[in-house]
Amino acid sequence: MPRLYVVKFLTRVLVQAALVVLLIEAIFMTEKLNDVLRSALAQNASFETIFALLFLRAPEVFGLAIPLALLVAVYRVTLRFREDRELLILSGMGIGSYKFLWLAVGIGLAAQILSLVISGIVSPAAVFAQRQLLFDSHYVALRGGISAGQFYGFGQYTVFARPNTKSDTRRLFLHRAVGDDEQAVIAKQASLEGPRDDGTMTLHLQDFTSTWFASIAKPAEVEAAASEHCAKCSGITSFEPVSSTQVGNLTQELEVNELFAFDPRGSHPSERTFLDLVGMGAAAVRPGPNDAYELGRRISRSLLCLLAPLIAGIAIVFTNRTTHVAALPVACALLMCVDLLFGVLVEQTAGFGLLTGILSPIIASLAILAVSAKWLLLAQNALVKPGLSRA
């Protein structure tokens, strides 16, 4: 294929694919905004942290955004070439559809490498950075002191500081759940020193009361009477105080890990790179079914990039004046069905080991690739012949 046509084709595909990826990212970020705000505000995060969390959520959707964008871009650009009779001219020069197949496979391989880099390196780092940002927000909240009128959650602890008034000193409410029992502490005066560099801090409580509550099952008649007055109250467990202690002053040394622990990178498979998942990285553990599934899904999503240009070519063959409205949506739906198929294969084979979880989508993609390429070679006349013009 002449270099001029190759450069023109690749440039248009790259521009349109980038625009589609940005569109998909915008939709994804809009959908995830409420989740990010909810988790950030629950951890007392600043606005800068919220924007950073949104930015770090972006790599999550690249696994599907890249093959979808590639399919749309290759379809639109190739269809434009066909309707402008440029493919027909190339065919008259003796350049058949096999050249298109090589170009499509080359584009798919480049997109697959990009997808593997993002899912294997960038995305795990982003997932870990999100958790680290939320932990830092916790730590900053502790170091800056408890703000009055706000609830703070630290692991199994919930803390609320009452706003100061002219006639009352600052009060502190602390709640802790221990198994089926719960503890409530109310202090007239409270202060916290630290956290210090060694990870310790000192809690001072004055004139406080500690009360333990135990869960009490409601009798059937009490449950029925409560449900008549409040339908939403049915099934709620009641708690009754079993012990109460009043103390004048208390000073206790605490560690930050007692309030919230920070697990090392790689505690979840989504935070592990490709080397970690196969047991060779810094955060590697003994590979298990979850690691095999995570690795298999990453590879299967990258294989979609290899299949997307060929599916776009098949959609072009079926595009005419009657089907041009539905051809592209059907092609996108077909790509999503392939992704679902790969997901089922990985889920069913990941339990047998890391190698089977990887090989199952690779074998399936090679079979689909061979059938698609063979079919496009047989339908090369429909691929290059304009189908939307009336003449």
Side-chain angles (χ1 to χ4, degrees), residues 27-256:
I27 297 174
F28 174 79
M29 299 298 280
T30 303
E31 180 186 359
K32 295 298 181 180
L33 179 60
N34 289 335
D35 295 337
V36 172
L37 288 175
R38 189 180 299 111
S39 60
L41 294 177
Q43 309 297 340
N44 316 302
S46 62
F47 285 105
E48 293 81 3
T49 302
I50 293 175
F51 285 120
L53 288 173
L54 282 174
F55 177 77
L56 292 172
R57 293 294 293 269
E60 295 181 14
V61 75
F62 271 104
L64 276 178
I66 292 177
L68 280 174
L70 187 62
L71 187 152
V72 173
V74 171
Y75 174 85
R76 287 174 54 84
V77 174
T78 307
L79 185 63
R80 180 66 179 270
F81 270 56
R82 188 187 79 169
E83 297 308 312
D84 290 343
R85 290 174 170 78
E86 296 187 50
L87 293 182
L88 197 60
I89 294 173
L90 293 175
S91 179
M93 296 169 58
I95 301 175
S97 60
Y98 68 94
K99 291 289 186 179
F100 170 79
L101 291 177
W102 280 113
L103 185 60
V105 171
I107 295 174
L109 283 174
Q112 183 181 15
I113 294 174
L114 177 62
S115 177
L116 288 173
V117 170
I118 293 176
S119 64
I121 300 176
V122 178
S123 185
V127 173
F128 174 72
Q130 291 178 57
R131 189 161 61 86
Q132 192 172 29
L133 277 176
L134 293 176
F135 177 84
D136 291 341
S137 299
H138 261 84
Y139 194 81
V140 170
L142 277 178
R143 186 173 287 276
I146 301 296
S147 300
Q150 294 187 18
F151 283 94
Y152 290 83
F154 302 106
Q156 60 179 349
Y157 295 92
T158 301
V159 181
F160 176 80
R162 179 177 175 180
N164 293 327
T165 60
K166 295 181 180 180
S167 59
D168 194 9
T169 58
R170 185 176 183 183
R171 293 176 177 269
L172 182 73
F173 171 80
L174 186 145
H175 172 269
R176 182 175 65 144
V178 182
D180 295 333
D181 300 333
E182 299 189 11
Q183 180 187 19
V185 176
I186 301 177
K188 291 185 177 180
Q189 191 73 23
S191 62
L192 183 67
E193 297 179 2
R196 291 176 282 271
D197 293 336
D198 59 355
T200 62
M201 50 192 172
T202 304
L203 176 65
H204 300 280
L205 297 177
Q206 299 179 9
D207 297 331
F208 73 93
T209 302
S210 175
T211 305
W212 282 93
F213 296 84
S215 58
I216 304 297
K218 292 182 179 180
E221 58 272 11
V222 176
E223 179 76 18
S227 60
E228 293 180 0
H229 299 283
C230 177
K232 296 182 179 181
C233 297
S234 178
I236 297 179
T237 304
S238 63
F239 291 86
E240 293 186 1
V242 294
S243 65
S244 181
T245 305
Q246 292 184 349
V247 181
N249 297 306
L250 174 68
T251 300
Q252 183 175 356
E253 293 289 333
L254 300 174
E255 293 185 1
V256 176

Side-chain angles (χ1 to χ4, degrees), residues 248-314:
N249 297 306
L250 174 68
T251 300
Q252 183 175 356
E253 293 289 333
L254 300 174
E255 293 185 1
V256 176
N257 289 335
E258 295 182 29
L259 298 181
F260 50 94
F262 184 74
D263 297 327
R265 185 182 69 84
S267 57
H268 190 272
S270 60
E271 297 180 359
R272 299 172 192 161
T273 63
F274 279 135
L275 291 178
D276 296 332
L277 290 174
V278 298
M280 299 173 60
V285 296
R286 185 177 181 180
N290 293 333
D291 300 284
Y293 177 79
E294 182 71 21
L295 184 59
R297 286 302 287 153
R298 293 182 190 180
I299 293 179
S300 64
R301 287 281 172 86
S302 70
L303 291 171
L304 294 179
C305 299
L306 194 62
L307 300 176
L310 297 179
I311 296 177
I314 295 174

